[in-house]
Amino acid sequence: MRQVLPRARGLLGRPAVLATVLLLAGGGSALVLVPLFGVPGFELGLALAIAVGLLGGGTGIAAAAQERRILTGALPRPARAEASALPGTAVGRALGASVLLNLGVLVPPFVCALLFARFRTACDPFELAGFYPLLTLPSALLASSAGVFLGFATARPRGAAGLYALLLLASLVVTVQPIVFGPQVFAFNVFLGHLPGPLYDEALQMTAALGWFRVETLLWACAFVGLALALLDVRTGRLALKGARVGGLGLVALCAVGIGMLEARAPQLGLRMTDAYLAEELGGVRETEHFVLHYPRGKAREDVDRMARDLEFRYAQTKRFLGVAPTERVRVWLYRSEDEKQRLVGAGRTQYAKPWRTELHIQDKPFPHSTLHHELAHVMAGPAGSGFFRVTTRLGVWPLMGLIEGIAVAADDPVQGELTLHQWAAGMRRQGIAPDMRDIMGPRGFYQSAPARAYTVAGSFLRYLADTYGADRLRTVYAHADFDAAYGRPLGELVTEWERTLDALPLDDSTLARAFARFRAGSLFSRACAREVARLSESAREALASDPQDALERYQRAAALQPEEPSFQLGQAAALDALERPADAAGVLDSLAEQVKDRPALAAEVAMARADVALHLDNVDASRAFLTAALALDAGPEVTRTAQVKLAALESPSRRAPIEAYFRAPHEELRLLLLDRALLISPQDPWLRYLLGRRLHQVGAPALAAEQLQRALSDTGLPEAIRREAIRLKIEAGYLAGDCGAVRHEVGALPDYGAAFRASATEWRERCDFEQTTFRGPLVPRQAFR
């Protein structure tokens, strides 16, 4: 160290090195003012890893050049710097000076972020702090060792800098290759750090794969040091093959063996993914006319058959909407869970497609799969896209996510909560929370908006263009986002036309309130302590059933960080109720009710929770009053139905126990048993018939469900919201039971429940028609003893 410090001071006397140090330390410190960078976590660590990986090699090159001058007696050289006749010492001193500077520049950003998080935010400075050293330190060490090696290898620093740039470029090629040509979306780069996957996976955690990757980074650093030790000629300060030292070459060989072992097991360790390993991990394969489906080993045959038919149906739907389709088969990778998908390809909650590979990646969900249509649309829009990646780009490079995601939402045209895509977009506009479409269609606006808002308005806009002007023009604009060329009119005029159409849609107060409730959350960059809160809320949900005290503490912390988000206080109340502290839960909900009293959808949700707590306190009258209040707020069909069912439970002692079990019982068998026993006492009760039919439908007994739902509908005393849901379930159950005659009958006699309900119901009839044509009939479930 006595010889390293003078060398480090000498390096700081070089203008280029001083500028690099100031840029890294000062620029990194200034990043704390940017959202998400104000804590020493993943974002700050990634930014500094990239910066030190790009620029840190320069200090190594300068350190080697300086050491050469010391070894040869040339000027300038640091005061009190002594030359060594030992190659190991010379390399160690140059490397030490570079490492000292590269590690030193990482300290100010870390300290600034700690102080900023501690004194300017409520965030926990150490929640994700482990990411910072894990991302930055190995990159800094590798940059120094590679820079020192190249500095000794070349006569001039400029030449070494050029070689370092080529080394960075080669590492990028190695990083990008499995993302472009393989199934994964995560990235590992030994110089620049790690990207775990899509931005929408908010709850990050350090994984074993990240640890193995950083071990490989250190092995590369040791390999560069070993090469310098083996080849350095202390007389000239240059590397020479003649007289290479065995010790240094042995170190290189050991590092090469380690790197080779890691690379050989890269898929198993999570460092890289291949199609072959992924197919083996999932285990199941089914081919159809247009698809190759890779599914989890052990998935029931009937479920695979259903999935195969669903794929072909969605293919026909999407081709009809877009007017194009890929010429090759589409590969579908279906994962067991979020955790498996995150481990294998790097996207947990996020479903994704790769149009240039004609494939999509989704996790298993109940039929009909909620995101299959959307992801398939990405792939099927590929022939209309541009460039290698078959999507909309600006100048062939920058992807325009507004058009890319918008066309998938438009093709899907989802009905959610008995509202159409256009109704949701119109509700956002009238609440003043809809992003400007002119920005969304640009290169940056989509990323700056909350995902749910951006997806919905972009999809509504492109669906409007498709329905109004046809698919041909939509495909034209999808290639390069040239609205003038596709429509003969600028984007602004088309947006204004769409906005007027939305503004003319009749919407009631309930729809507006629901739109605000659904889209209230802002983007990741606008929420306080977003990464920490995501981890807290996810772990609290997981702990609620097994450890409500732990869940309570996590919800309390999340509510303190984001007090404007009511879901965390609702979580607190649920945890307190589970801890047999209903009075405390009532206090939390009383305070929350005052906070959300001007937001009907949220107020109704709080009223429902208050009703449950009141019932736990044996205050039936209060529970009834809260349920009645929730109904009066008209917050949407889900809340309305739940409130009506719970009120019905309070009206009849024979209903109360089975209905409470319906909502609270931990096991499905117990719910079914109590409903069945209650029907022995009250065989004509339509509420119990409806709930039993709903539950049978959810557990995969569609024929039995249809029978119970029909008996419930034969009673005219059920409210309209319950009847509407019973009809929807009965249509779906008819299809799942293979009774397309019943489906056609129900859809043909459908009451006027609005455009969204009719669209959703009609799709089941379309499935029946498609399967009759394509598969010569619907899929009939196998029965026991058949």
Side-chain angles (χ1 to χ4, degrees):
M1 183 59 72
R2 184 175 61 84
Q3 285 295 308
V4 168
L5 287 176
R7 285 166 167 78
R9 286 194 296 268
L11 290 176
L12 290 176
R14 312 294 295 179
V17 174
L18 180 61
T20 299
V21 168
L22 293 176
L23 178 62
L24 290 173
S29 300
L31 279 176
V32 302
L33 302 176
V34 179
L36 294 182
F37 290 84
V39 292
F42 171 76
E43 281 76 18
L44 188 66
L46 178 61
L48 267 297
I50 292 172
V52 79
L54 290 173
L55 302 177
T59 64
I61 293 168
Q66 177 178 259
E67 195 65 29
R68 181 184 301 117
R69 292 194 298 272
I70 295 172
L71 292 171
T72 60
L75 295 175
R77 61 178 183 269
R80 297 190 298 278
E82 301 173 0
S84 172
L86 299 175
T89 303
V91 171
R93 288 171 176 175
L95 182 64
S98 175
V99 167
L100 186 63
L101 295 183
N102 279 350
L103 295 185
V105 298
L106 300 176
V107 175
F110 184 81
V111 173
C112 287
L114 280 178
L115 295 175
F116 186 87
R118 174 64 180 83
F119 295 107
R120 295 292 300 275
T121 76
C123 307
D124 180 358
F126 299 102
E127 173 69 18
L128 295 172
F131 274 111
Y132 190 85
L134 201 54
L135 289 173
T136 58
L137 298 185
S139 291
L141 293 173
L142 178 60
S144 291
S145 59
V148 166
F149 168 73
L150 294 174
F152 280 129
T154 56
R156 295 178 177 275
R158 186 172 298 179
L163 290 176
Y164 188 80
L166 290 176
L167 194 61
L168 286 172
L169 184 61
S171 75
L172 284 174
V173 170
V174 172
T175 298
V176 170
Q177 187 272 335
I179 300 174
V180 174
F181 299 104
Q184 72 193 55
V185 289
F186 62 84
F188 287 114
N189 184 278
V190 289
F191 285 97
L192 308 181
H194 166 54
L195 280 173
L199 182 67
Y200 305 127
D201 286 348
E202 297 182 6
L204 298 179
Q205 59 183 351
M206 288 177 286
T207 63
L210 179 56
W212 286 116
F213 158 65
R214 296 282 68 173
V215 168
E216 184 174 359
T217 302
L218 295 177
L219 288 173
W220 276 107
C222 288
F224 281 116
V225 173
L227 284 172
L229 290 174
L231 303 177
L232 179 64
D233 183 345
V234 292
R235 294 171 301 174
T236 62
R238 294 284 304 278
L239 302 185
L241 292 175
K242 184 178 180 180
R245 299 168 190 86
V246 175
L249 294 178
L251 177 59
V252 174
L254 286 174
C255 292
V257 169
I259 293 169
M261 292 175 64
L262 290 174
E263 287 297 315
R265 293 185 56 81
Q268 293 90 333
L269 297 176
L271 301 177
R272 187 170 54 256
M273 187 49 57
T274 64
D275 291 333
Y277 183 80
L278 189 55
E280 176 60 28
E281 278 290 291
L282 292 176
V285 182
R286 170 71 65 85
E287 295 188 14
T288 69
E289 181 182 358
H290 299 108
F291 293 92
V292 177
L293 170 63
H294 295 269
Y295 61 88
R297 185 182 290 106
K299 188 174 176 63
R301 177 182 173 185
E302 184 178 312
D303 292 340
V304 177
D305 291 341
R306 185 77 70 191
M307 183 70 177
R309 290 175 178 236
D310 194 22
L311 287 168
E312 290 294 341
F313 174 69
R314 293 303 189 192
Y315 184 96
Q317 264 190 329
T318 311
K319 183 177 181 181
R320 186 166 61 248
F321 173 75
L322 293 173
V324 292
T327 57
E328 60 269 48
R329 284 180 175 174
V330 179
R331 285 185 296 179
V332 178
W333 302 91
L334 185 69
Y335 301 86
R336 295 173 179 86
S337 64
E338 289 180 6
D339 291 340
E340 181 182 61
K341 190 151 144 290
Q342 178 68 52
R343 176 176 61 85
L344 292 175
V345 292
R349 292 187 175 182
T350 306
Q351 324 300 313
Y352 67 94
K354 291 190 171 185
W356 64 96
R357 278 173 49 92
T358 325
E359 71 178 20
L360 58 100
H361 297 255
I362 55 178
Q363 65 211 39
D364 205 0
K365 293 184 179 182
F367 174 84
H369 198 286
S370 58
T371 55
L372 168 62
H373 197 182
H374 177 101
E375 300 305 332
L376 179 58
H378 280 306
V379 175
M380 294 188 65
S386 61
F388 173 82
F389 294 104
R390 302 183 186 180
V391 294
T392 318
T393 58
R394 178 69 56 83
L395 301 176
V397 177
W398 187 264
L400 299 180
M401 297 306 297
L403 269 160
I404 294 169
E405 294 297 346
I407 200 169
V409 176
D412 187 12
D413 196 17
V415 172
Q416 296 176 303
E418 297 187 12
L419 292 178
T420 66
L421 179 62
H422 293 320
Q423 286 173 322
W424 283 118
M428 265 196 287
R429 276 187 53 77
R430 294 184 205 181
Q431 288 283 11
I433 57 175
D436 191 329
M437 186 56 57
R438 298 159 187 84
D439 294 332
I440 292 293
M441 290 293 132
R444 295 185 303 274
F446 188 88
Y447 296 102
Q448 295 169 346
S449 301
R453 300 179 192 177
Y455 275 70
T456 301
V457 295
S460 174
F461 175 58
L462 294 185
R463 184 76 193 196
Y464 169 79
L465 293 182
D467 292 342
T468 306
Y469 299 103
D472 291 344
R473 294 188 179 188
L474 184 65
R475 292 197 303 272
T476 301
V477 81
Y478 185 69
H480 302 290
D482 191 340
F483 286 88
D484 283 296
Y487 294 95
R489 299 166 62 189
L491 172 63
E493 287 187 14
L494 293 167
V495 171
T496 300
E497 181 183 306
W498 164 73
E499 289 173 340
R500 288 172 180 165
T501 302
L502 290 188
D503 294 342
L505 288 177
L507 299 179
D508 55 24
D509 292 340
S510 171
T511 301
L512 297 179
R514 291 162 63 195
F516 178 82
R518 179 183 173 192
F519 298 111
R520 67 183 183 273
S523 71
L524 179 68
F525 299 98
S526 66
R527 282 177 270 140
C529 312
R531 295 291 190 193
E532 181 182 351
V533 170
R535 283 163 58 93
L536 286 168
S537 59
E538 184 174 288
S539 58
R541 283 193 300 270
E542 293 173 351
L544 186 58
S546 60
D547 190 352
Q549 180 62 43
D550 180 58
L552 173 62
E553 294 169 1
R554 293 176 185 274
Y555 277 128
Q556 287 172 333
R557 172 65 178 163
L561 295 175
Q562 294 183 6
E564 73 284 354
E565 175 50 58
S567 64
F568 303 135
Q569 294 174 66
L570 284 168
Q572 287 181 59
L576 288 166
D577 199 33
L579 288 167
E580 301 297 329
R581 295 167 56 186
D584 293 334
V588 171
L589 292 172
D590 291 345
S591 175
L592 181 57
E594 184 65 24
Q595 178 182 327
V596 301
K597 63 182 180 181
D598 296 328
R599 292 178 275 175
L602 297 175
E605 191 175 353
V606 174
M608 296 290 292
R610 296 176 83 184
D612 291 341
V613 171
L615 196 61
H616 198 171
L617 290 167
D618 292 323
N619 192 340
V620 176
D621 291 339
S623 181
R624 183 181 292 108
F626 287 132
L627 291 171
T628 303
L631 276 176
L633 290 167
D634 191 20
E638 298 89 351
V639 172
T640 296
R641 291 195 304 269
T642 304
Q644 288 172 338
V645 168
K646 290 184 175 182
L647 278 171
L650 299 181
E651 293 170 1
S652 170
S654 64
R655 293 178 188 152
R656 182 168 172 180
I659 289 180
E660 284 188 11
Y662 179 90
F663 288 107
R664 288 178 173 267
H667 301 294
E668 198 65 60
E669 296 85 349
L670 181 58
R671 297 173 185 172
L672 292 170
L673 176 63
L674 291 177
L675 284 169
D676 187 60
R677 282 185 174 179
L679 279 167
L680 292 175
I681 300 172
S682 305
Q684 304 305 318
D685 192 315
W687 294 92
L688 298 178
R689 293 286 178 195
Y690 161 73
L691 292 175
L692 181 57
R694 184 180 185 87
R695 191 57 73 182
L696 286 168
H697 176 70
Q698 291 171 339
V699 299
L704 294 174
E707 177 186 339
Q708 296 296 328
L709 292 167
Q710 179 57 47
R711 296 181 68 176
L713 287 166
S714 64
D715 189 299
T716 58
L718 287 175
E720 182 181 293
I722 300 294
R723 294 187 65 82
R724 186 166 61 238
E725 179 68 358
I727 291 172
R728 185 191 71 79
L729 291 171
K730 189 166 179 283
I731 294 170
E732 189 171 331
Y735 170 81
L736 292 172
D739 189 356
C740 278
V743 172
R744 294 187 178 96
H745 171 75
E746 291 292 341
V747 174
L750 200 65
D752 185 10
Y753 287 146
F757 191 94
R758 176 163 290 279
S760 181
T762 301
E763 185 172 273
W764 293 108
R765 184 176 63 189
E766 292 173 355
R767 284 181 181 273
C768 283
D769 295 341
F770 173 80
E771 294 199 7
Q772 185 64 46
T773 302
T774 308
F775 300 104
R776 294 180 295 179
L779 178 65
V780 180
R782 293 170 176 264
Q783 303 295 329
F785 308 110
R786 185 174 175 180

